[in-house]
Amino acid sequence: MSERLGFIGLGIMGRGMAHNLRKAGYDLMVWNRTAARADSLRAAGAQVATSPADLAANCDVIFSCVSDTPDVQAVILGDQGVIHGVRPGALVVDMSTISPQVAREVAEALAAKDVFSLDAPVSGGSEGAEKGTLSIMVGGPADQVARAQPYFAAMGKTITHVGPSGAGQTVKLVNQILVVVNMLAVSEALVFAQASGADLEKTLQAVGGGAAGSWMLANRAPQVLNRDWRPGFTIDLQQKDLRLVLEAADQVAAPMIATSMVFHMYRTLQQSGLGAEGNHALIKALERLAGVTVGGSAPA
Ligand code: NAP
């Protein structure tokens, strides 16, 4: 008999992921703190639980995708949390981006109840969540990764078992270092091009296909040129991830020179009320220092 699945956290990411599990035909129960956000899943045939504990009591494999470390602690270990309903032998898969250390602590608390767990954060944005094309970085025991594989395949395209418990979160933080430092390079390059009077469209055409090409350059630089700050990933959530990077790096004494610089640049943007803009709005911090505006004619 196939396993019954549960999904906690139906935000920008979780909603698309849960819908993809339903589309793949799985028996699904969902829970979201703001109940109205579960309506589309109910309409798609999912059952709606009254609490994470209620959901856990009725499911074999429980997924969660909520905002930050304390939120995962709340839905898994809190008063109405998964841990109070979950059955021995069940599997809990957290797909939020959180502290690797807390991911290991949550796994230990669940293991004490004979419950398995995986940390499986994702990359690929809201678009990837909706289309089922996410990259999923998984930490935990191999047999449980194999157990979750068909469910991951409904939500993502690139599924990589990267190591033991917590390793998924560590690799996700590696991903975030690469993303933001690359965005810093894109920003600095565009400010220089603008200040030098280069044709920006032609500049992107010329450098995009060579050694300097990247996903951020291809996807976010054109948005910058159009002064389009709609988020694929907000500055607020990006900043949360950089805080996790800096905390984890501190524990292993790894210097984070460029990442900490970007962390503080994003902070200046948050302080000016831009936290809901996309992470490519990083360029605004450099524009202010340089006294130039890239692309569109009006200053931001
Ligand atoms: P979101 O749209 O803000 O949704 C957050 C979800 O978490 C909502 O369902 C929210 O419930 C729930 N939640 C937050 N705090 C909670 C708490 N204390 N108790 C119960 N539920 C709580 O965020 P998102 O973009 O889906 O991101 C979710 C996770 O995926 C984050 O860890 C993020 O870093 C990661 N991620 C996001 C992206 C992206 O492009 N957006 C990409 C990769 C990874 P309510 O509806 O009640 O607020």
Side-chain angles (χ1 to χ4, degrees):
M1 212 179 73
S2 67
E3 295 189 300
R4 185 164 207 221
L5 311 185
F7 207 107
I8 294 169
L10 306 170
I12 291 177
M13 298 299 286
R15 187 171 38 236
M17 292 153 80
H19 270 290
N20 283 331
L21 289 173
R22 260 313 284 157
K23 278 185 207 149
Y26 293 113
D27 184 11
L28 183 69
M29 193 171 204
V30 297
W31 180 84
N32 194 67
R33 181 179 59 182
T34 306
R37 273 181 145 176
D39 288 349
S40 72
L41 266 305
R42 185 187 278 108
Q47 268 197 290
V48 180
T50 56
S51 68
D54 172 42
L55 179 141
N58 288 286
C59 294
D60 305 297
V61 183
I62 297 136
F63 297 91
S64 55
C65 189
V66 294
S67 308
D68 200 351
T69 308
D71 307 313
V72 171
Q73 289 171 312
V75 298
I76 306 290
L77 307 177
D79 286 348
Q80 296 284 305
V82 164
I83 201 158
H84 300 295
V86 70
R87 301 178 297 219
L91 170 62
V92 174
V93 185
D94 180 45
M95 304 187 79
S96 328
T97 304
I98 66 159
S99 148
Q101 190 185 322
V102 173
R104 284 188 290 270
E105 287 166 10
V106 168
E108 278 164 25
L110 290 167
K113 298 234 162 189
D114 295 323
V115 173
F116 302 106
S117 60
L118 299 172
D119 49 295
V122 302
S123 159
S126 53
E127 203 185 41
E130 205 180 312
K131 292 185 176 158
T133 56
L134 293 169
S135 291
I136 308 177
M137 299 146 236
V138 194
D143 57 340
Q144 297 303 313
V145 179
R147 177 179 179 183
Q149 185 64 30
Y151 315 133
F152 286 147
M155 298 184 274
K157 268 220 153 66
T158 309
I159 298 133
T160 314
H161 182 203
V162 293
S165 183
Q169 295 296 353
T170 299
V171 173
K172 171 68 186 180
L173 297 185
V174 170
N175 186 83
Q176 298 308 71
I177 295 168
L178 290 165
V179 164
V180 298
V181 177
N182 195 228
M183 192 58 225
L184 178 63
V186 169
S187 302
E188 194 161 289
L190 286 177
V191 165
F192 170 77
Q194 176 78 39
S196 308
D199 180 317
L200 298 177
E201 302 274 359
K202 289 214 167 87
T203 301
L204 290 186
Q205 246 177 50
V207 302
S214 69
W215 190 96
M216 291 304 273
L217 186 72
N219 291 278
R220 298 297 176 232
Q223 257 190 284
V224 169
L225 265 49
N226 292 327
R227 312 294 296 170
D228 170 3
W229 309 115
R230 281 174 298 172
F233 191 53
T234 64
I235 286 177
D236 281 340
L237 276 181
Q238 182 72 82
Q239 186 70 342
K240 177 264 298 184
D241 288 357
L242 296 189
R243 173 175 47 77
L244 296 174
V245 170
L246 296 180
E247 285 167 3
D250 190 43
Q251 284 166 10
V252 295
M256 288 285 117
I257 295 158
T259 307
S260 58
M261 209 155 60
V262 179
F263 175 83
H264 291 294
M265 285 177 172
Y266 276 130
R267 175 147 288 166
T268 67
L269 299 176
Q270 284 180 309
Q271 294 297 75
S272 10
L274 303 183
E277 294 195 348
N279 57 357
H280 54 295
L282 176 65
I283 197 165
K284 291 184 178 179
L286 286 181
E287 287 177 336
R288 288 171 188 176
L289 293 174
V292 300
T293 302
V294 173
S297 48

